[in-house]
Amino acid sequence: MTTTEAASPLSHRQLRLVVFGLLSGTFLGALDTMIMVTAMRTIADELHGLTLQASVTTAYLIASMIAMPLYGKLSDIYGRKRLYLAAIAVFLLGSLLCALAQSMGQLAVFRAVQGLGGGGLMALALAAIADMVPPEQRTRWQALFGFSFAGASISGPVLGGLLAGLDSLLGIDGWRWLFLVNLPIGLVAMVVVGKYFTVRTPRTRQPVDFRGAIALAAGLVPLLLLAEQARELSSVVALLLATAGVLGLAVFVRVQVRRQDSALLPPKLFRDKAFTLINVVNFLGGVGVFTALAFVPLYLQLVQGLSPTGAGLLMLPQSLATITGSRIVGPLLAKGIRYKHVLATGLGLTGVAYLALAFAGPTTPMTLITVLVLANGIGGGMFFQIVLVILQDAVEPQDLGVATSLSGFSRQLGGVAGTAVFLSLVFSLAGERIGGGIDLNDTSFLAQLDPRAAAPIVEGLARAMNTVFLSIGVVVALAAALALSIKPSRKDTP
């Protein structure tokens, strides 16, 4: 049974304050991802675990991915406000723990704690906007979250590079400030949202599918460990992980079918073929979007020889292009262009950028790299914005929280899988092509090598990354092709 509570009216001033608080929280989640992209090599070298960076990256992504639909379902039952405040609190705890990490293993665990909070920040904020404003105004307000992400995209890589380049600040290692900067921002968001968000959201009286969440984690974690560490695992351990993963996912599917509307991922939503297809496209697009965050800064530092700060500055064009991409979606839809054509265009731009990077190397002009980064950013911005619009338009109001969280869930699932598989692949290929027993867990030695001695290592890394860029480009191109087959929703342009 579904009951809907009347929404408490907000003045324009209150609405702006609430949105500011929500934006602060989503800025935290976006900044935490973007600030790491240029600093990861420095952190991993210092903690002697560059080849383990996939674990640190995917720990955050998988925790937040599993938490997303759980937050969505809980917010449909208990309301957005208290869940949003809880998400920020968990995220800040994880941030503090990350700042205290002494090894890559510890950092991976603490990043997972961060992810448990971060999974609720964007999904709950977007659902809260949908609660507070009518559909005809929703796109304009939700676009502000694109600016929040874009602001984090602009400041994150540069700030990450600057802090990672510092030996210490106020007696603390420079890279540890990547996590400490979250604390004051998060506290401001908690105070503002706690005080001014008084809207009562539509609620459903259903049990929470904690069994589904546990089964999903039990299925995904072993498979991701297998993807990340396959080159170092024995055949017996690999088989055990694969079996555990498959069984976990089988249990998850069974639980979802039995629980129906109260499931973590309600099966009724996936009976709509268009809804299912857009989630498949979202997954494949997530492979491209999230792996770009891991690979492009790594490519700039390892192959092009840039410092963390230099790599951060070169990521600025992509960040600005992402803003542009998200902003042009609304005008394109207003001109009568169908959702699927906008989505396919964005994915197409990203796919072309990856395919071109597959032929780049140590001597490729930086102007060309900048152009490719721009194309990647525009395509990514279009992709983020239009997928959310399509998913929200495809469901009824009582399922808005779940549908909004799914926009992040399926995309992040693609990011988790892509990052785990392709980071593992790049270091495996690089090790084979370089040879000589080179330890890639700490690549800081490249800066001290004679350029002639470093050239074979850099070339081996470049060739490994070329293979990965080509593979990702093919995946994103497939997503663009599938996007063209999506049937128009009930609100799409005829």
Side-chain angles (χ1 to χ4, degrees):
M1 179 178 179
T2 301
T3 61
T4 303
E5 299 175 347
S8 301
L10 292 177
S11 68
H12 187 66
R13 176 178 176 274
Q14 288 175 313
L15 179 60
R16 291 176 65 181
L17 285 170
V18 172
V19 171
F20 170 76
L22 296 173
L23 284 171
S24 298
T26 56
F27 179 78
L28 273 179
L31 180 67
D32 193 69
T33 300
M34 299 305 301
I35 204 172
M36 291 288 287
V37 298
T38 49
M40 181 57 79
R41 181 195 173 189
T42 300
I43 296 172
D45 281 348
E46 183 166 328
L47 298 179
H48 198 70
L50 185 62
T51 60
L52 299 176
Q53 78 168 83
S55 299
V56 174
T57 302
T58 58
Y60 180 90
L61 291 177
I62 191 171
S64 60
M65 177 193 67
I66 293 172
M68 277 181 187
L70 197 57
Y71 276 114
K73 176 61 70 175
L74 287 169
S75 72
D76 284 339
I77 299 171
Y78 301 111
R80 320 288 184 215
K81 179 178 176 177
R82 64 180 67 180
L83 267 297
Y84 193 76
L85 295 177
I88 295 179
V90 174
F91 182 86
L92 294 183
L93 173 62
S95 297
L96 182 60
L97 291 174
C98 286
L100 301 174
Q102 299 298 315
S103 69
M104 288 293 278
Q106 288 184 11
L107 185 59
V109 172
F110 297 152
R111 286 282 285 168
V113 175
Q114 264 193 315
L116 290 175
L121 297 179
M122 178 64 80
L124 291 177
L126 292 171
I129 291 294
D131 291 330
M132 292 187 293
V133 300
E136 62 271 16
Q137 298 178 23
R138 194 178 301 159
T139 302
R140 177 170 64 88
W141 286 99
Q142 286 180 339
L144 294 175
F145 290 88
F147 281 115
S148 176
F149 186 84
S153 299
I154 292 171
S155 59
V158 178
L159 183 60
L162 288 172
L163 291 175
L166 295 175
D167 289 334
S168 66
L169 178 63
L170 300 179
I172 300 173
D173 293 338
W175 66 266
R176 297 183 188 277
W177 285 96
L178 301 174
F179 307 104
L180 294 176
V181 295
N182 293 332
L183 302 183
I185 301 174
L187 291 175
V188 169
M190 291 184 74
V191 170
V192 173
V193 173
K195 182 176 182 180
Y196 294 104
F197 187 25
T198 59
V199 172
R200 292 183 179 181
T201 58
R203 301 186 185 185
T204 58
R205 293 181 179 176
Q206 298 175 348
V208 181
D209 185 16
F210 290 111
R211 290 183 181 178
I214 294 171
L216 181 60
L220 291 178
V221 171
L223 293 178
L224 288 171
L225 287 174
L226 177 62
E228 292 174 16
Q229 306 296 328
R231 66 186 185 280
E232 298 178 2
L233 298 174
S234 67
S235 58
V236 174
V237 174
L239 180 60
L240 289 174
L241 287 174
T243 302
V246 171
L247 289 176
L249 292 180
V251 171
F252 172 71
V253 171
R254 182 180 179 185
V255 170
Q256 301 308 283
V257 171
R258 291 182 61 183
R259 297 187 72 96
Q260 290 297 317
D261 290 353
S262 64
L264 188 67
L265 302 179
K268 69 176 184 180
L269 297 179
F270 295 92
R271 295 190 187 108
D272 184 333
K273 292 182 180 179
F275 186 87
T276 301
L277 182 57
I278 187 58
N279 275 284
V280 172
V281 172
N282 202 20
F283 170 86
L284 296 175
V287 172
V289 171
F290 281 101
T291 49
L293 299 180
F295 276 99
V296 173
L298 198 62
Y299 167 83
L300 293 174
Q301 293 177 68
L302 292 179
V303 177
Q304 293 288 340
L306 298 184
S307 66
T309 303
L313 290 172
L314 198 62
M315 291 293 285
L316 281 176
Q318 176 170 316
S319 303
L320 295 172
T322 301
I323 300 176
T324 303
S326 63
R327 289 292 292 169
I328 64 177
V329 167
L332 289 175
L333 295 178
K335 290 182 179 180
I337 300 178
R338 288 184 172 180
Y339 290 169
K340 66 179 182 179
H341 294 146
V342 176
L343 178 58
T345 300
L347 289 169
L349 283 172
T350 299
V352 168
Y354 272 119
L355 293 174
L357 283 170
F359 298 96
T363 60
T364 301
M366 293 307 299
T367 51
L368 178 57
I369 299 296
T370 303
V371 170
L372 297 178
V373 165
L374 282 169
N376 201 343
I378 292 175
M382 295 173 67
F383 165 70
F384 274 122
Q385 188 68 21
I386 192 63
V387 165
L388 176 63
V389 173
I390 297 173
L391 285 175
Q392 286 187 335
D393 281 354
V395 300
E396 299 300 326
Q398 65 267 24
D399 294 317
L400 192 61
V402 174
T404 303
S405 64
L406 270 172
S407 71
F409 177 84
S410 52
R411 180 176 63 242
Q412 204 141 310
L413 180 59
V416 169
T419 302
V421 171
F422 289 122
L423 274 175
S424 176
L425 178 62
V426 77
F427 286 113
S428 178
L429 291 174
E432 293 175 2
R433 292 170 182 177
I434 294 171
I438 297 294
D439 183 6
L440 294 177
N441 278 301
D442 183 353
T443 58
S444 58
F445 69 91
L446 288 174
Q448 282 76 47
L449 278 184
D450 182 279
R452 290 171 295 181
I457 300 174
V458 173
E459 182 63 31
L461 288 166
R463 289 171 56 201
M465 289 192 176
N466 289 156
T467 301
V468 169
F469 283 137
L470 178 62
S471 302
I472 299 171
V474 171
V475 170
V476 178
L478 174 61
L482 288 175
L484 292 174
S485 64
I486 296 174
K487 293 182 179 180
S489 75
R490 48 195 169 91
K491 299 180 184 178
D492 199 359
T493 303

